[in-house]
Amino acid sequence: MLLRFLKLWMMLCFACVSSAARLDPFALRLSCGARQNVHSKPTNTLWREDFGYTGGIAANATLPSLITPPLNTLRYFPWSEGPQNCYNINKVPKGHYSIRIFFGLVGQSKDISEPLFDISIEGTQLYSLKPGWNYQIDQVFAEALVFLTNDSVSICFHSTGHGDPAILSIEIQQIDDKAYYFDPQWSQGIILRTVKRLSCGFGQSKFDVDYGGDSRGGDRFWQHIKSFGEEYESDQPRSVETRIKHASHPPNFYPETLYQSALVSTDSQPDLTYTLEVDPNRNYSIWLHFAEIDNSVTAAGQRVFNIIINDDLVFKDVDIVELSGDIYNALVLNTTVTVNGRILTIILKPKEGNLAIINAIEIFEVIMAESKTISEEVSALQTLKKALGLPPRFGWNGDPCVPQQHPWIGVDCQLNKSSGSWVIDGLGLHNQGLKGFLPDDISRLLNLQILNLSRNNIHGAIPSSLGTITSLQVLDLSYNLFSGSIPESLGQLTSLQRLNLNSNLLSGRVPATVGGRLLYRASFNFTDNAGLCGIPGLPTCGPHLSGGGKVGIGLGASFTFLLLITCSFCWWKRRQNILRAQQIAARAAPYAKARTHFSRDIQMTRHHNNYGKTSTAAENGPILLS
Ligand SMILES: *[C@@H]1O[C@H](CO)[C@@H](O)[C@H](O)[C@H]1NC(C)=O
Ligand SMILES: *[C@@H]1O[C@H](CO)[C@@H](O)[C@H](O)[C@H]1NC(C)=O
Ligand SMILES: *[C@@H]1O[C@H](CO)[C@@H](O)[C@H](O)[C@H]1NC(C)=O
Ligand SMILES: *[C@@H]1O[C@H](CO)[C@@H](O)[C@H](O)[C@H]1NC(C)=O
Ligand SMILES: *[C@@H]1O[C@H](CO)[C@@H](O)[C@H](O)[C@H]1NC(C)=O
Ligand SMILES: *[C@@H]1O[C@H](CO)[C@@H](O)[C@H](O)[C@H]1NC(C)=O
Ligand SMILES: *[C@@H]1O[C@H](CO)[C@@H](O)[C@H](O)[C@H]1NC(C)=O
């Protein structure tokens, strides 16, 4: 009996442990520039050191605002490290995430330099910092809801020439897969960037964690707003302690406290109007939160209002009590609007004799996630970066083609609409002081049309793999230190229109496949090399042989000599064989029967040998044992 009870108890326990493990959302918080893990007050939140995710320089931080996490260090990215720098964070399980990045100010520079830069996540441009960000409580961070599908995340900072990007912290927190879903545009291919999150009425600006919210909702920052009016108090704050039902529900898990305070309009100004300046020509997802907490309303029908967003009637006859089922029940309405101008206006317009109420507002920018560059070409460029010895100022971090506003220096891209990914179609690294060599991996850039490496100090051979980039139209390797001969394979480049190999150390015959075709199809320049020959305009390949040519002829002669010797030997051997065969044939016939007997004898001998072997093994047995 007791045993059975124990067993049941253990099973229950196991079930609850495993379900807890399943529900536990992934969370990673980085304190940028920190050399050890940090715990922040008052919630004892763990912030990890950021070793090994990126380059940049660690420094002491000045916190730009009261709401930033109390961290002492930051990481900044000077221009010399290239225009884009990324945190590449692995082991982030597939899922839906809230990602938040707090910015910082280096050292004591609060009033001196406020860097302005762009932020991208997984190649999608998210946000451009606006001047004055360090004075505004909700502008000191960027936040977005993102689907991660590849067990990793890349967060990049792009310099725009206004100071060095400086990052205080990065938070990656898993949220419900369906969090903030809306119809019909919503999909894994969209990113929601938080534009504004307001908690209306009495109180203070707070994070979910301060509200005691469920961690599955993320750790949202709710900026407190006491009134929508600027010049006069057009509305009044209300708050209650009464419990609110249906607040902390999936998928969004809003903190209950959010619904315990609200703004209510006044008789003199019955409309509630909220106005926000936004970036034009974008789509915005708007989430409005209500709970009937004003004791002047006790039943359905007593407070009815319309919701008008930028002149469009979006929700008609909203009755909170009716829609949510009761007073002190949470109600969330969401809609998506396209804003063409710079102003987003939300008006709550009550029916005659009523007043309007609102508890909270969330506004997100709806961003389509960017396509990426095919990984084969990304890794080819990374190999090239090393082989050519690209200076650090190039950066070449993150994705080469996206965000489209910030492609890698010298890289031209094209979107393949049918595969939905970017490919590299041009590489222009002319005049960059490159001192390395051109690796075979260049041929993995299968879509390359233009390759211009002119005026560098690139040495070594021209890789013959270049001949497999059939889309190549322009190949300019002029004014370098390329040596050896021109690979035959370049003749396969049927689209080639321009070939500049002048001013290098090339030698040997210009392959007929290259020279012949180029004569009438394309423009070319082979002059000023160490000894190219064989096409009009260059010396003939006869008397003045280059090193390569001499070796070629030497090899040819040796080969002919060897061939002669081999042939004579073969002839002699064959002759010998014929003679011997004639002798044997003369003697063979009388012995035919005897040969049959002989072969049976061999078989018997084999049999005996097998038996002998077995017995030997048996004899060996005891010896092994003793
Ligand atoms: C950062 O501040 C600490 C003391 O808080 C100091 O010891 C350290 O030298 C500072 N580092 C830099 C780079 O200024
Ligand atoms: C947002 O609104 C749409 C339609 O208006 C609704 O289907 C959806 O359930 C809402 N999303 C959430 C998370 O409540
Ligand atoms: C906004 O949404 C509309 C309709 O869903 C879409 O056609 C348009 O491309 C979107 N605009 C932007 C800037 O994403
Ligand atoms: C996913 O990550 C792996 C390794 O980090 C990489 O090889 C692959 O190309 C990535 N896939 C995509 C679609 O980004
Ligand atoms: C685009 O991608 C498709 C599918 O991967 C491929 O078949 C096609 O050749 C590509 N087109 C170009 C122009 O590269
Ligand atoms: C390659 O770049 C150089 C600049 O260094 C330019 O003069 C040249 O015209 C380019 N080559 C081609 C084929 O466009
Ligand atoms: C070919 O290259 C040489 C030197 O490398 C240069 O002087 C000449 O102008 C070039 N010819 C053409 C037609 O570009």
Side-chain angles (χ1 to χ4, degrees), residues 310-545:
N310 279 9
D311 298 332
D312 288 329
L313 175 57
V314 177
F315 296 103
K316 193 170 164 19
D317 296 335
V318 175
D319 184 328
I320 301 167
V321 179
E322 190 187 304
L323 291 173
S324 70
D326 202 354
I327 55 171
Y328 303 114
N329 273 10
L331 170 69
V332 186
L333 299 176
N334 78 79
T335 186
T336 308
V337 297
T338 303
V339 180
N340 298 314
R342 293 198 157 269
I343 300 293
L344 173 66
T345 307
I346 303 171
I347 303 175
L348 274 53
K349 203 174 199 46
K351 283 260 158 80
E352 201 68 29
N354 288 182
L355 296 177
I357 187 172
I358 190 157
N359 300 65
I361 301 177
E362 295 175 281
I363 299 170
F364 300 95
E365 182 187 337
V366 182
I367 302 173
M368 306 300 292
E370 260 294 358
S371 308
K372 292 192 191 158
T373 307
I374 54 177
S375 52
E376 178 75 3
E377 301 203 357
V378 180
S379 70
L381 284 180
Q382 279 157 351
T383 308
L384 223 61
K385 173 180 168 178
K386 282 203 201 87
L388 289 173
L390 241 57
R393 68 186 152 83
F394 274 79
W396 277 30
N397 299 307
D399 189 294
C401 301
V402 292
Q404 289 175 58
Q405 296 89 332
H406 303 284
W408 287 0
I409 297 172
V411 176
D412 285 324
C413 300
Q414 198 180 2
L415 182 65
N416 180 339
K417 292 216 173 71
S418 69
S419 70
S421 48
W422 290 88
V423 295
I424 315 300
D425 68 352
L427 202 55
L429 295 172
H430 40 82
N431 221 342
Q432 299 293 346
L434 306 179
K435 293 199 173 81
F437 66 98
L438 188 59
D440 275 333
D441 277 33
I442 182 79
S443 65
R444 286 156 74 199
L445 299 176
L446 276 179
N447 299 280
L448 210 54
Q449 293 172 9
I450 298 177
L451 176 60
N452 191 346
L453 300 175
S454 175
R455 296 182 190 274
N456 287 292
N457 292 310
I458 304 169
H459 60 83
I462 296 176
S464 75
S465 66
L466 272 176
T468 59
I469 313 178
T470 48
S471 51
L472 210 55
Q473 294 169 9
V474 173
L475 178 56
D476 191 343
L477 305 179
S478 59
Y479 303 98
N480 276 293
L481 304 171
F482 283 106
S483 55
S485 54
I486 299 175
E488 193 89 25
S489 64
L490 295 194
Q492 298 158 19
L493 298 175
T494 49
S495 310
L496 206 60
Q497 289 159 12
R498 194 174 180 91
L499 177 60
N500 289 352
L501 300 178
N502 52 293
S503 292
N504 276 291
L505 304 172
L506 297 166
S507 55
R509 181 185 288 276
V510 175
T513 47
V514 178
R517 193 168 49 75
L518 288 173
L519 280 176
Y520 57 94
R521 285 275 306 272
S523 80
F524 60 96
N525 195 342
F526 296 128
T527 57
D528 195 11
N529 268 293
L532 282 175
C533 62
I535 56 163
L538 294 177
T540 45
C541 291
H544 302 291
L545 283 176

